[in-house]
Amino acid sequence: MAKNELIFNGNEKQVFSTDDPTRVIFRYKDVTTAYHGVKRARFAGKGALTNQISALLLGYLNENGVETHYISTIDEREQLCRMIEIIPLEVVFHNRIAGSLATKLGVEDGMKPANTILDLCYNNDELGDPLINRDQAVALNLATYQELDLMYDIVRRSGKLLTDLLHKAGIELVDAKFEFGRAADTGAIIISDELSPDTCRMWDEATGERLDKDRFRLDLGDMVDSYGIVLEKLKNVMEAE
Ligand code: 5GP
């Protein structure tokens, strides 16, 4: 499929239109940012890793009854995806309380609650992606109550599927951020952004080592090596399935 115009140039990804209005091409960059773009660096090979990890995780959800925007992998850096109308909301799934949630609640980073926690955030960089509640989201016309119910259901199912899959690979899914859109081809609400160590916290179950973007956020050492470990572990477990 022909790659046409650049329609979105994000920090870590670019999106191109194609000759089919219901299809786009996602290109993963080597750039990494944190703290809403305040911290920024380039790591050779990072884009190829997030592209491949995301393809495996999104493909796995597709195969297990959760619709996502991912269609197929084009090459090391690019994937073919479904065009969507963006819903500017994020739902963050937490198996553990880590990062900004731990700071907000004043608990130890990594505390394990008995329940899973879902947070709804307004995807708005200028406001710093604040927490928003359902009534506020509906008041801003970001989504309907019915769509919010669907998004929560998708996140609960996806969170469980990914937690179990990563566990088989010896990786603990600590938390994960999901974004959504309305698919241009069917109108369905689908997951519409990457799932990778850039958007999910992933800890090595054996050592507790952080294998995700916290390596960059917290200056813990090489990030590309860790993303490579995640990819290898995932490939091994998925090939065996
Ligand atoms: P926190 O609120 O601690 O920053 O993030 C919670 C989880 O959601 C982490 O897995 C984090 O990677 C992901 N997350 C939340 N917001 C963003 C964002 O704007 N960009 C990225 N890459 N990940 C995010």
Side-chain angles (χ1 to χ4, degrees):
M1 190 163 300
K3 187 159 97 184
N4 293 342
E5 272 169 61
L6 178 66
I7 54 175
F8 171 77
N9 195 9
N11 284 324
E12 289 156 342
K13 272 156 299 186
Q14 293 174 318
V15 182
F16 295 87
S17 63
T18 66
D19 40 18
D20 178 343
T22 69
R23 300 289 181 259
V24 291
I25 291 173
F26 260 56
R27 181 176 175 80
Y28 287 72
K29 297 181 181 176
D30 279 345
V31 173
T32 289
T33 61
Y35 309 120
H36 303 288
V38 172
K39 190 169 175 180
R40 188 184 180 91
R42 191 176 193 89
F43 295 102
K46 202 247 354 178
L49 288 166
T50 45
N51 178 35
Q52 291 174 80
I53 295 168
S54 205
L56 289 178
L57 296 180
L58 292 170
Y60 183 75
L61 292 182
N62 284 338
E63 283 162 20
N64 285 277
V66 179
E67 275 190 76
T68 79
H69 72 164
Y70 173 75
I71 298 173
S72 60
T73 296
I74 297 171
D75 63 23
E76 251 208 342
R77 257 174 212 287
E78 294 186 347
Q79 49 187 249
L80 183 66
C81 294
R82 294 161 71 182
M83 171 68 129
I84 50 107
E85 177 198 351
I86 293 173
I87 298 176
L89 291 169
E90 299 174 347
V91 182
V92 185
F93 172 92
H94 303 265
N95 278 322
R96 283 186 189 258
I97 300 178
S100 72
L101 185 58
T103 307
K104 185 181 111 174
L105 298 181
V107 301
E108 192 190 343
D109 192 278
M111 184 199 144
K112 189 138 178 60
N115 54 320
T116 50
I117 299 168
L118 266 53
D119 279 332
L120 181 66
C121 300
Y122 183 16
N123 192 348
N124 183 319
D125 271 349
E126 277 173 31
L127 300 178
D129 299 344
L131 272 177
I132 189 169
N133 69 32
R134 287 162 55 89
D135 294 336
Q136 292 163 357
V138 172
L140 293 186
N141 279 323
L142 306 178
T144 64
Y145 285 112
Q146 198 184 13
E147 287 176 331
L148 289 167
D149 285 343
L150 257 172
M151 288 161 58
Y152 267 68
D153 179 58
I154 291 169
V155 170
R156 286 195 194 283
R157 283 190 290 137
S158 307
K160 167 102 180 72
L161 282 165
L162 296 177
T163 300
D164 293 348
L165 174 70
L166 286 159
H167 174 60
K168 285 186 204 155
I171 298 170
E172 181 176 345
L173 181 68
V174 171
D175 56 27
K177 180 210 26 142
F178 295 87
E179 296 192 16
F180 297 89
R182 299 177 188 94
D185 46 12
T186 63
I189 300 273
I190 61 172
I191 293 175
S192 62
D193 194 22
E194 72 175 291
L195 287 171
S196 78
D198 265 6
T199 60
C200 305
R201 287 195 170 89
M202 298 179 183
W203 294 357
D204 186 311
E205 284 184 349
T207 64
E209 195 183 2
R210 291 169 193 248
L211 302 172
D212 53 70
K213 201 190 215 180
D214 274 350
R215 302 196 72 77
F216 173 65
R217 293 190 188 101
L218 307 173
D219 296 317
L220 298 177
D222 195 286
M223 190 177 136
V224 172
D225 277 1
S226 300
Y227 284 27
I229 291 169
V230 171
L231 179 60
E232 279 318 303
K233 283 177 181 276
L234 262 180
K235 273 187 182 163
N236 287 340
V237 78
M238 291 177 87
E239 274 160 18
E241 286 224 327

